[in-house]
């Protein structure tokens, strides 16, 4: 591989403003261009490429916009070799120079070994690193040790519209014969030590509405004689979690996987500098003092966050309104082996209990509006072993075995529908700033990342010999 | 008085779109026109009129808009007669046809004896009724039994900007010699029985900010290890009032005036049909079951309302944000003899106590952003006696002696600065819908209101004989 050439391609890709979040015809056009450029790149690699038309989406304002095609590409069809499928996305979060960016977000700019640009780490860089890994074998005129498949989408930042439907449809065609699925769309927890990610939390999102009447009241005219919906709602929300972060909903911890000694030990070796983490987070004090507790509470224990209230007075100033109908919003991050529908029952039961004790004349309605299960992989799967060995070869160290506290539905979608081992093998460092201003990927990570993927191909093949 | 003529003038006044709430040059121009038209009307009455230039106001967006003049007018200067000063305002709340109005809000329209139009009852109708009362004496070629002064402003709905300053300035000039101040800017509690208002609640408005950091967090990345500001805030707000409406802040009831038998008896005779009130309010059930309890909790006991939260997620949808800094807003309606600065100390002490028990690492800041005292008059003042007699003469009934649960700062301003008896003598019926769509004044109220004011002039003069 020519690393300079690789960087040139990343520069071209970053220059395409493939923003899927802002639904404008111009950005949508850029997304289509991005998918076409990537398809060409894969064809140059020798892959057979299928750009699947995904139709269009209806926006809330009635506008209809075309969805960029999803690329399905295949390279190699040797039945004796294992088949690895790589998932990536080529759309990006919005970015505007002047919005806190120190360089033009769509001009890849190297400063001190860091390649700044929107999409550099999320997810154009890792996709290109994978492509570069494949082309390295070709440059060295070596046979690829594995069959490779690609599934590349352009709507990840907008909720992966249409992806699940396609995976379902292609289950017995494109995905037949796939042995392993690799996603490289998250970050290490360290600046320097590579990581392998084997789990993500799920999420159950709730709304709780308290209604007296549809219209608001004036506090001068009605204050003192009403069961005010905000008083009820604040009491309901206040019953969910205590000041130590413990969720107060009865039964909620019943199905949380118990902690084994083996798992406990894994947290000890993870490269997380607490002091640095606290400083970069701008948080004075966390709920826990040790690295192990913090990691466990981000990854393997549920958490409950109250997000806000719809329908109350939320603007600056001093309005003397008694909101007539308010909706509180909170969510619980789910961990193995919690089940969203069990959690839904527990939450509803708890809130109904608290509400009935208030003896309020208002009406309460609780809904779970989103129930995404957690994802966890078996870290003894072959590809995890192969990844560890490849990391040792390229980086000379053992990886951090990590999870992600957020919900990345795609891992769970592949695992559930295709039923094969899924692994997340990130390339980006903890300070890459995905989704924020001045997103970057370190040149070192980008180049070594290609080598890691190449070494991974070899290790996976060895395990199949 | 020619009632038809009076209605014609009201039609002309309502046709002027004197909206002080929407700060646009067009509405401001209408306000100036309104004040000029009223000044002309008062001059026709024979009054000497002073339109005091109030300068201009700076809007938050940097725009500067002129403040409509305040009219000071005098009619009669007989030292042997008592002097009654009437306060009114000629600006209105916003209104737009199609916004729920069944008729054009700026075209006074009579339907079944009701005169619909913006400002009809709040406050153009009552101002004209007072003017009509004066002109009745002139039409009958009778000597006015009292000296009359007018103070008419055009910014009441926008917070009476500049009014207090002018009252202070004119204390020893225009207001010297004033014996009584009459305001007719509220409503009866009944559809049929007139009322005299002798008190209003005050208001102390609080913000409580809880801050972890300025930026928000993502609940996937930080949920589980933070003292989340929303959890703290919800606990703070939840500590303020119980589900029976009782305020939980220690000491808050200490200075509330004790209830005498005499006061208690006054509530019994008030014309309030509970069933009708509940239906028109669209409230299933109030906190109290009797008329007396409801009136006392609206008028003579403090109430606490939680208005909302600034800085949290308040839009439709399911955003997984952990707000980094949130500000809760609530207010306490103050009653005699509560003192806003004592309440401020009690609230701060209570919230600091609740917060310290949570042992949170966040920062909390409590502010009282508004502290308006309650107003209460001595109902044995001569003008209250005169008003009762006049009501008996014109309506053949005793009035409801009422208070208003809202805060009407102007009564308190006059009482404090001028030191004379202030009375509110409303003309509008309970269902007039001031501030809402389809505002109206009953033709009967408008016409009998003029007679009431005329009879009041006579009764007041008699008491001074």
């Amino acid at each position: 591989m020519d690393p300079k050439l690789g960087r040139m391609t990343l520069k071209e890709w970053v220059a395409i403003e493939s923003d899927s979040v802002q639904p404008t015809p111009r950005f949508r056009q850029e997304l289509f261009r991005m998918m076409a450029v990537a398809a060409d790149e894969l064809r140059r690699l020798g892959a057979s490429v299928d750009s699947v038309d995904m139709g269009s989406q209806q926006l809330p304002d009635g506008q209809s916009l075309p969805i960029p095609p999803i690329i399905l590409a295949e390279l190699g069809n040797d039945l004796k070799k294992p088949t690895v499928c790589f998932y990536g996305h080529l759309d990006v979060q919005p970015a505007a120079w002047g919005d806190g960016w120190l360089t033009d977000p769509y001009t890849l700019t190297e400063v001190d070994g860091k390649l700044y640009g929107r999409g550099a780490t999320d997810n154009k860089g890792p996709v290109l690193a994978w492509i570069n890994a494949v082309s390295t074998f070709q440059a060295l005129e070596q046979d690829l040790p594995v069959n490779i498949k690609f599934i590349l989408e352009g709507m990840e930042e907008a909720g992966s519209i249409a992806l699940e439907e396609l995976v379902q449809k292609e289950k017995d065609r494109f995905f037949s014969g796939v042995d392993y699925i690799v996603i490289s769309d998250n970050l290490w927890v360290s600046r320097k030590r590579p990581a392998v990610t084997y789990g993500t939390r799920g999420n159950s999102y709730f709304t709780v509405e308290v209604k007296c009447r549809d219209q608001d009241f004036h506090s001068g005219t009605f204050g003192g004689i009403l069961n005010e919906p905000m008083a009820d709602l604040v009491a309901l929300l206040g019953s969910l979690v205590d000041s130590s972060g413990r969720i107060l909903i009865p039964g909620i911890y019943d199905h949380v996987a118990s902690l084994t000694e083996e798992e406990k030990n894994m947290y000890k070796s993870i490269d997380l500098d607490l002091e640095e983490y606290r400083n970069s987070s701008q948080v004075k004090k966390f709920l826990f003092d040790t690295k192990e507790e913090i990691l466990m509470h981000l990854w393997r224990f549920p958490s409950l966050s109250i997000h806000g209230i719809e329908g109350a007075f939320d603007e600056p100033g001093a309005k003397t309104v008694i909101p007539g109908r308010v909706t509180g919003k909170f969510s619980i991050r789910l961990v193995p082996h919690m089940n969203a529908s069990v959690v839904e029952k527990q939450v509803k039961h708890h809130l109904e209990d608290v509400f009935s004790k208030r003896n309020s004349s208002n009406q309460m309605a609780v809904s779970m509006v989103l129930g995404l299960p957690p994802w966890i992989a078996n870290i003894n799967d072959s590809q995890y072993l192969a990844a560890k060995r490849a990391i040792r070869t390229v980086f000379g160290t053992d990886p951090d075995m990590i999870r992600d506290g957020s919900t990345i539905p795609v891992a769970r979608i592949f695992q559930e529908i295709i039923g094969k081992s899924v692994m997340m093998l990130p390339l980006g460092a903890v300070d890459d700033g995905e989704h924020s201003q001045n997103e970057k990927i370190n040149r070192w990570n980008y180049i070594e990342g290609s080598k890691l993927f190449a070494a991974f191909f070899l290790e996976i093949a060895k395990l199949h010999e």
Side-chain angles (χ1 to χ4, degrees), chain A residues 164-361:
Chain A
E164 183 166 359
E165 193 193 321
L166 184 74
V167 173
Q168 193 70 1
K169 213 175 111 191
E170 294 287 339
K171 182 184 166 187
D172 297 321
R173 206 195 60 88
F174 179 78
F175 291 105
S176 78
V178 165
D179 298 296
Y180 305 104
I181 294 144
V182 177
I183 300 165
S184 181
D185 189 25
N186 62 321
L187 302 176
W188 304 344
V189 291
S190 155
R191 289 193 187 190
K192 296 209 176 137
R193 195 193 289 172
V196 175
T197 306
Y198 64 95
T200 61
R201 290 194 291 188
N203 199 15
S204 54
Y205 201 106
F206 289 88
T207 61
V208 48
E209 179 192 272
V210 180
K211 175 178 163 178
C212 177
R213 67 174 192 191
D214 283 322
Q215 285 160 277
D216 290 341
F217 300 87
H218 178 236
S219 72
T221 323
F222 283 95
I225 62 167
L226 295 181
N227 272 124
E228 300 191 7
M230 274 297 277
D232 284 340
L233 182 58
V234 153
L236 291 164
L237 296 176
S239 76
L240 296 170
V241 61
D242 72 14
S243 61
S244 72
R246 189 160 177 89
I247 304 173
L248 301 172
I249 297 158
I252 200 86
Y253 291 100
D254 286 357
H255 300 102
V256 173
S258 51
L259 183 66
T260 62
E261 271 309 305
E262 190 194 355
E263 188 195 327
K264 212 168 161 184
N265 286 330
M266 283 201 325
Y267 299 111
K268 284 188 193 155
S269 59
I270 286 172
D271 183 28
L272 178 79
D273 181 330
L274 252 197
E275 199 51 36
E276 192 184 295
Y277 179 55
R278 195 155 35 222
N279 288 339
S280 71
S281 309
Q282 300 170 57
V283 172
K284 212 171 72 184
K285 198 175 177 313
F286 291 120
L287 285 174
F288 307 97
D289 295 324
T290 68
K291 177 179 77 177
E292 290 80 356
E293 282 174 302
I294 284 179
L295 292 175
M296 285 193 285
H297 283 273
L298 285 175
W299 295 346
R300 63 108 55 233
F301 287 121
S303 64
L304 189 148
S305 296
I306 302 167
H307 308 299
I309 295 170
E310 192 182 335
F313 175 55
D314 50 47
E315 285 163 56
K319 190 174 174 184
T320 53
V321 66
I322 299 174
R325 181 166 68 151
V326 287
T327 304
K329 300 184 181 184
F330 63 94
S331 66
I332 302 170
R333 294 279 166 184
L334 305 177
V335 297
H337 306 291
M338 293 169 85
N339 176 295
S341 36
V342 173
V343 168
E344 182 180 14
K345 280 195 202 85
Q346 290 168 333
V347 168
K348 285 187 174 176
H349 187 268
H350 170 70
L351 289 178
E352 277 155 15
D353 190 43
V354 172
F355 190 67
S356 76
K357 281 183 186 137
R358 288 182 65 78
N359 203 19
S360 165
S361 56

Side-chain angles (χ1 to χ4, degrees), chain A residues 46-120:
Chain A
S48 68
V49 179
D50 192 3
S51 281
V52 186
D53 179 8
M54 302 311 297
S56 60
Q57 77 180 129
Q58 199 77 19
L59 298 179
D61 67 0
Q63 200 193 162
S64 170
L65 277 179
I67 301 174
I70 293 178
I71 294 175
L72 299 177
E74 309 189 34
L75 190 67
N77 192 18
D78 187 338
L79 289 176
K80 293 187 298 284
K81 293 176 186 172
T83 301
V84 182
C85 178
F86 179 83
Y87 161 87
H89 68 89
L90 300 171
D91 57 317
V92 297
Q93 283 280 322
W97 202 355
D99 210 36
W101 283 81
L102 300 173
T103 58
D104 174 17
Y106 292 111
T107 304
L108 192 75
T109 307
E110 181 165 351
V111 180
D112 292 337
K114 296 177 179 98
L115 306 170
Y116 289 94
R118 176 54 90 216

